Amino acid sequence: MATSTHTVTNQPPPLVAYDVFTADRALAEAVERHLDPAVRAVARRELAELGRAAGSAQAQRWAVQADTNPPVLRTHDRHGNRIDEVDFHPAWHRLLGRAVASGLTNAWGRPGGHVRRAAGFLVWSQAEAGHGCPVSMTHAAVPALRVDPEFAAEWEPRLTSGVYAQGLRPAAEKPGVLFGMGMTEKQGGSDVRAITTRAVPLAGAGEYELTGHKWFCSAPMSDAFLVLAQAPGG
């Protein structure tokens, strides 16, 4: 039977139940400086609410659960059918859902959106950093999509909807989607000139056949993927 041997007196209490945003004076001042006065009050309230959520015991529990229960690849269902589905702990979905609902994938369609999104991401990622990967990729995919206005018209409303819809089903049936990215290859990661994956135009407008090998794919449970490849034009 274990018994107590001593009392610990030199450790600080757990940092919990505090406002991550308001406690960061430099961040709060930067938001004030860079936001238009018309949206400052709304942004402050949003960020303070997110800051309290990030500093809550609940968010800390979600973070521990998400990080101690890593994703599991399910290659086949119980009948032997190939599914290649990645299962995440429910806590990971809760973290991601709060990020999406808080506008961290939607900087493009609201006043002061980039300042508010950057500050919110800095606040909420302090709860748990890993789920910030698909959040950032979804946010960053929008300018690439806008190169093709027709494509952007179809996908941008889903990326910026503020709704996190987990589960494998067609994107057209979901109110919100996430984008992953396939970029890094064995011989080329940050050096995009070394990418060897090829994109060959097909008969359909804007359609390409991709041939190559990616070293890894970020956020494989995403609804669509932005893949870096060499096309005839570069």
Side-chain angles (χ1 to χ4, degrees):
M1 180 178 178
T3 59
S4 176
T5 59
H6 66 290
T7 300
V8 178
T9 59
N10 66 340
Q11 298 298 309
L15 183 59
V16 69
Y18 75 107
D19 182 343
V20 175
F21 171 71
T22 305
D24 190 333
R25 295 175 61 184
L27 178 60
E29 190 276 332
V31 169
E32 288 283 322
R33 179 170 5 112
H34 292 291
L35 274 183
D36 186 279
V39 296
R40 282 177 187 163
V42 173
R44 280 198 305 266
R45 287 196 299 271
E46 289 178 349
L47 291 167
E49 181 183 354
L50 187 61
R52 290 189 294 272
S56 68
Q58 182 183 62
Q60 292 184 14
R61 285 194 299 271
W62 288 347
V64 171
Q65 291 168 349
D67 292 343
T68 54
N69 294 276
V72 176
L73 172 62
R74 310 289 186 189
T75 58
H76 296 78
D77 66 16
R78 64 191 182 92
H79 301 292
N81 299 306
R82 189 81 188 224
I83 56 173
D84 289 331
E85 183 175 357
V86 181
D87 283 345
F88 290 83
H89 190 276
W92 192 86
H93 292 293
R94 294 187 182 105
L95 290 163
L96 192 50
R98 181 58 190 263
V100 173
S102 298
L104 304 191
T105 56
N106 180 22
W108 305 97
R110 56 179 182 156
H114 289 286
V115 173
R116 295 160 74 176
R117 187 262 170 194
F121 187 83
L122 185 59
V123 167
W124 186 242
S125 62
Q126 292 184 52
E128 198 279 331
H131 76 287
C133 178
V135 171
S136 292
M137 291 187 297
T138 301
H139 161 72
V142 171
L145 291 176
R146 287 180 173 176
V147 174
D148 186 330
E150 184 176 349
F151 204 61
E154 176 185 356
W155 283 94
E156 187 173 335
R158 299 172 186 157
L159 270 71
T160 59
S161 70
V163 178
Y164 174 56
Q166 71 181 77
L168 294 180
R169 61 184 187 274
E173 299 176 4
K174 302 177 74 172
V177 300
L178 297 178
F179 259 47
M181 294 187 181
M183 296 188 175
T184 304
E185 298 179 6
K186 295 175 183 176
Q187 76 292 339
S190 58
D191 183 3
V192 298
R193 297 169 299 177
I195 296 297
T196 62
T197 297
R198 298 293 170 181
V200 178
L202 299 175
E207 296 181 357
Y208 291 81
E209 179 184 51
L210 300 181
T211 304
H213 181 91
K214 295 298 180 181
W215 192 229
F216 61 87
C217 179
S218 297
M221 76 311 138
S222 299
D223 299 284
F225 297 87
L226 193 152
V227 181
L228 189 63
Q230 297 284 2

